Amino acid sequence: MRLLIMAAILIVATQINAAEPMVRVMALFSNKAMLQINGKNHILKKGQKLKGVTLLTANGRAATIRFDNGLEKTLGLNQSIQQAYKKPVTNKMTLYANRSGMFMTGGRINGQTTKFMVDTGATYVALSSTEADKLNLEFKSAPKVKLQTANEVASGWLINLESVKVGEIQVPQVKAVVMEGDTPHVLLGMSFLQHLKMERNGAAMTLEQKFK
């Protein structure tokens, strides 16, 4: 009798879990997205419903989905949620200023490791041609642009990065400029930071990903 009761509990638990879709955003496009629903990838168009999940909106930054129970959530690339979850963990991190007052952090560009310095005064993510070569970025065939630096007007190349990641915060399709020369770090400019909420408290700066 005990074995029968335990088997019944397992069956009910399995049915409950199956009724609560687990969704992960695998790829983002204009008005459609690739969603992983219960372990299988599906491309949904705006307004399309599949397995209890409706894609409400989608663009290059995020997708908004709705479950059959009415729960709606906006998710970025590689973020996931299960229907039963009401408050998924947000992508958030805290940086601390170094002795020079700069906020430095490690991160990744297109999956390759690099070093960043947060620079709210930079329009784009900016890196040297030496660093771009290390990261295997194609830039010399990209459009040329003029850049106003602290001391002069310099020339560079405007490129598009597939992804920029710091901590658990990842933003796809980020514009960047490559400048001739060599610098010890990459400037983490507003083309990335505009997708974050930034709050500074003394020597601490909190970054939290936001979605539109």
Side-chain angles (χ1 to χ4, degrees):
M1 178 64 70
R2 181 177 296 178
L3 289 174
L4 290 174
I5 293 174
M6 291 180 64
I9 292 173
L10 287 173
I11 291 172
V12 171
T14 301
Q15 291 174 341
I16 291 173
N17 288 333
E20 297 176 349
M22 172 65 78
V23 180
R24 179 181 293 274
V25 177
M26 305 303 293
L28 291 165
F29 312 96
S30 177
N31 294 321
K32 62 181 179 179
M34 179 183 288
L35 304 180
Q36 186 181 87
I37 304 176
N38 294 337
K40 293 185 178 181
N41 292 342
H42 306 275
I43 295 180
L44 273 67
K45 296 180 180 179
K46 178 180 177 181
Q48 187 176 354
K49 179 179 176 180
L50 182 67
K51 298 184 178 181
V53 179
T54 301
L55 180 65
L56 298 179
T57 63
N59 53 44
R61 296 188 298 271
T64 301
I65 62 173
R66 182 174 63 210
F67 293 103
D68 280 349
N69 67 355
L71 175 64
E72 294 185 11
K73 187 62 182 177
T74 300
L75 301 172
L77 192 65
N78 291 324
Q79 283 198 312
S80 61
I81 185 175
Q82 189 167 2
Q83 179 175 302
Y85 296 165
K86 298 300 182 181
K87 294 183 179 180
V89 176
T90 57
N91 290 348
K92 188 175 183 180
M93 66 182 299
T94 301
L95 303 178
Y96 297 91
N98 60 18
R99 293 182 179 180
S100 301
M102 304 297 181
F103 292 91
M104 313 293 297
T105 181
R108 292 179 178 272
I109 290 178
N110 294 359
Q112 302 294 312
T113 302
T114 191
K115 295 180 180 179
F116 292 108
M117 183 179 79
V118 177
D119 187 352
T120 57
T123 303
Y124 302 108
V125 171
L127 63 159
S128 68
S129 57
T130 300
E131 186 66 13
D133 285 333
K134 290 180 182 178
L135 298 172
N136 298 316
L137 301 178
E138 295 290 338
F139 63 91
K140 291 189 176 179
S141 60
K144 279 289 195 76
V145 292
K146 295 293 183 180
L147 306 168
Q148 180 65 57
T149 66
N151 301 316
E152 60 181 357
V153 176
S155 62
W157 296 268
L158 181 63
I159 64 174
N160 197 55
L161 304 175
E162 292 180 7
S163 67
V164 176
K165 184 176 183 180
V166 290
E168 294 301 315
I169 299 172
Q170 179 167 303
V171 177
Q173 304 303 314
V174 178
K175 289 192 178 299
V177 289
V178 177
M179 297 177 289
E180 192 70 48
D182 188 13
T183 55
H185 47 251
V186 178
L187 298 182
L188 198 60
M190 292 306 297
S191 58
F192 175 84
L193 297 174
Q194 66 180 332
H195 302 289
L196 313 183
K197 298 175 184 177
M198 296 182 289
E199 183 177 345
R200 182 167 179 177
N201 185 9
M205 178 183 288
T206 300
L207 306 178
E208 182 178 354
Q209 193 162 9
K210 63 182 180 180
F211 304 104
K212 296 179 181 179

